[in-house]
Amino acid sequence: AQTVTQSQPEMSVQEAETVTLSCTYDTSESDYYLFWYKQPPSRQMILVIRQEAYKQQNATENRFSVNFQKAAKSFSLKISDSQLGDAAMYFCAYRRPGMDSNYQLIWGAGTKLIIKP
Amino acid sequence: DTEVTQTPKHLVMGMTNKKSLKCEQHMGHRAMYWYKQKAKKPPELMFVYSYEKLSINESVPSRFSPECPNSSLLNLHLHALQPEDSALYLCASSPRQGSPHGYTFGSGTRLTVV
């Protein structure tokens, strides 16, 4: 069975600095999708960035980028120039392509990111 | 419109009450999802609807009854809930079930069962 591990329950970073959140996963599949979601106190789960496993190029969305290491099964999120609005729970998630319950999102436990002003 | 709207935002109900949660999206997405999230935990999938038909039920107790009246609307009917059902209930949608895109989530309904 696939699993997703976020080993950092909580991280803190000074405003304007860079922070990296870790995520590892376990799968025997070669084709899958990886996601980082952000959940601020407003509760809405917001998609930050996604990566398709067959693409070697690391995904980037403005200040957010990933370091996708397929062989190591690692998918870390780097946030550059941290802002107060980045404070949130960050969840890493994995999904296989397909439609039945075996192909639904598998979530990590989450990392709480604190931004120090 | 790129949002999933959930109402109400907060709900307190007694164990004998019947209430409903509502979820609406106008993005043309044909897959909609209900998730339950306990504090400081990741969401747990409850139900998936695909083209208005129930596709996945993750062994959810019958006191939770989903309904998808049309392609834009998803309801979750609640009856005879237990205090342990208190949680954040999130609705999400995606273009299709199995879409490679991420899901769009609503802000959730915070449910308290007393």
Side-chain angles (χ1 to χ4, degrees), chain B residues 12-95:
Chain B
V12 179
M13 61 184 290
M15 289 188 283
T16 58
N17 291 160
K18 286 185 181 181
K19 296 286 185 183
S20 297
L21 309 185
K22 179 180 172 181
C23 172
E24 200 163 4
Q25 57 88 15
H26 297 285
M27 295 177 282
H29 288 177
R30 303 311 297 271
M32 296 185 76
Y33 311 81
W34 279 116
Y35 280 87
K36 173 183 178 179
Q37 187 180 24
K38 290 284 205 179
K40 300 183 181 179
K41 298 288 186 183
E44 300 171 31
L45 183 65
M46 300 176 71
F47 302 103
V48 180
Y49 272 82
S50 178
Y51 289 88
E52 296 92 68
K53 293 191 188 319
L54 184 63
S55 173
I56 295 172
N57 176 343
E58 290 288 282
S59 303
V60 179
S62 60
R63 57 185 184 269
F64 295 91
S65 175
E67 177 196 22
C68 190
N70 59 58
S71 60
S72 300
L73 188 55
L74 185 66
N75 297 320
L76 186 63
H77 303 298
L78 314 172
H79 174 55
L81 295 192
Q82 304 297 310
E84 59 264 29
D85 296 322
S86 298
L88 180 67
Y89 288 83
L90 290 166
C91 175
S93 70
S94 66

Side-chain angles (χ1 to χ4, degrees), chain A residues 37 39 43-44 50 95 99, chain B residues 37 97 99-100 103 105 108:
Chain A
Y37 281 91
Q39 190 175 36
R43 309 178 323 202
Q44 184 177 14
R50 61 184 285 271
R95 190 169 68 77
M99 292 177 58
Chain B
Q37 187 180 24
Q97 188 180 349
S99 166
Y103 301 168
F105 284 84

Side-chain angles (χ1 to χ4, degrees), chain A residues 13-77:
Chain A
V13 63
Q14 206 70 35
E15 192 177 3
E17 295 189 347
T18 296
V19 64
T20 298
L21 308 184
S22 302
C23 174
T24 58
Y25 57 94
D26 187 24
T27 184
S28 57
E29 303 293 325
S30 59
D31 188 19
Y32 48 86
Y33 312 111
L34 294 164
F35 307 88
W36 277 101
Y37 281 91
K38 164 186 176 182
Q39 190 175 36
S42 66
R43 309 178 323 202
Q44 184 177 14
M45 194 75 78
I46 301 165
L47 178 65
V48 175
I49 202 163
R50 61 184 285 271
Q51 176 82 41
E52 296 173 3
Y54 66 86
K55 290 186 178 178
Q56 294 189 339
Q57 187 172 4
N58 290 325
T60 299
E61 288 288 341
N62 301 315
R63 297 183 294 107
F64 298 87
S65 61
V66 297
N67 183 2
F68 173 48
Q69 302 286 332
K70 190 172 184 179
K73 298 178 184 175
S74 171
F75 183 61
S76 60
L77 175 70

